[in-house]
Amino acid sequence: DYKYFKNAVELAKKIMKETIWPGDIVLDCTVGKGNDTLLLAELVGPLGKIYGFDVQIDALDHTKKRLKEKGLANRVRLIHDGHENISNYIKDEKIKLVVFNLGYLPTGDHNIVTKPETTIQGIKTSLELLDQNGVLLVTSYTGHIGGLEEKKIIEKFLYELNQKKYSVLKFQFINQINNPPILYGVEKLN
Ligand code: SAM
């Protein structure tokens, strides 16, 4: 079995574990069923805080239930709104890490997918809110309709970021079949 390089989602989790410290404030921009949210809530500890966004109320309700079961709900503010509207909720806080897991919920309505324009807006606002040495993680899927277009637009946007301000990586599993997701990682330098 894999120890290090399984897929983009697991690699993103490793980076979360490496970078998040107790007391940090982090953003989950695509909560879905809450897999990332739960891990983030554990990592920030009782003094930390998560803001979680999703446009699907059912997904948020499900996540809230999971958080309550683990006694983690009071660290997480779940917001039923799109990540393009982050700035309506968060202003002066220094964010340590932001995660986007794009596409659709495999167990939900496949027609509710992230879209390039709103994703880019969410990424832009997130980069502004990141603290020095804060990290942005974006997992991008290309196998569904619109996915490849979204990936191209994100990649172009990240490619053009000033290297004096941001360090940008692309993690791609180049020998896997069936369009494996790609993970982008950004560290804010100053
Ligand atoms: N990380 C999640 C998990 O652990 O279950 C899976 C996320 S799923 C791949 C993508 C999610 O993005 C869906 O739940 C969908 O409702 C949400 N979404 C779509 N457009 C959005 C937007 N503009 N703002 C926030 N969330 C959005």
Side-chain angles (χ1 to χ4, degrees), residues 9 13 28-38 52-57 59-60 62-63 66 79-86 99-109 111-115 118-119 139 141 150:
V9 171
K13 285 183 182 165
D28 185 348
C29 290
T30 49
V31 167
K33 297 262 164 108
N35 294 315
D36 290 328
T37 322
L38 257 80
F53 291 85
D54 206 293
V55 291
Q56 294 194 66
I57 192 70
L60 292 176
H62 180 86
T63 299
R66 290 182 73 189
I79 297 165
H80 182 212
D81 200 350
H83 41 236
E84 61 276 21
N85 299 319
I86 291 169
V99 57
F100 284 80
N101 183 357
L102 301 174
Y104 57 81
L105 255 185
T107 55
D109 183 345
N111 293 313
I112 304 175
V113 291
T114 55
K115 301 265 168 55
T118 42
T119 301
T139 301
Y141 300 79
E150 183 181 45

Side-chain angles (χ1 to χ4, degrees), residues 65-112:
K65 193 160 158 268
R66 290 182 73 189
L67 288 164
K68 274 189 181 158
E69 281 165 10
K70 296 214 162 186
L72 299 168
N74 56 2
R75 304 173 191 180
V76 183
R77 181 170 168 207
L78 292 173
I79 297 165
H80 182 212
D81 200 350
H83 41 236
E84 61 276 21
N85 299 319
I86 291 169
S87 60
N88 292 347
Y89 303 89
I90 309 169
K91 294 208 157 67
D92 297 325
E93 287 167 288
K94 291 285 182 196
I95 307 298
K96 180 60 171 291
L97 181 135
V98 181
V99 57
F100 284 80
N101 183 357
L102 301 174
Y104 57 81
L105 255 185
T107 55
D109 183 345
H110 289 200
N111 293 313
I112 304 175

Side-chain angles (χ1 to χ4, degrees), residues 16-26 40 43-45 48 96:
M16 292 175 205
K17 288 177 189 162
E18 185 74 22
T19 53
I20 295 172
W21 290 85
D24 281 343
I25 307 173
V26 308
L40 295 168
L43 293 172
V44 299
K96 180 60 171 291

Side-chain angles (χ1 to χ4, degrees), residues 156-186:
K156 180 170 186 294
F157 174 79
L158 297 178
Y159 183 87
E160 290 173 350
L161 287 175
N162 182 342
Q163 75 172 71
K164 293 198 172 116
K165 292 189 179 154
Y166 300 98
S167 184
V168 184
L169 288 93
K170 174 181 181 180
F171 300 89
Q172 186 167 16
F173 290 76
I174 61 173
N175 70 334
Q176 283 183 12
I177 57 162
N178 296 331
N179 310 305
I182 296 168
L183 174 65
Y184 298 94
V186 179

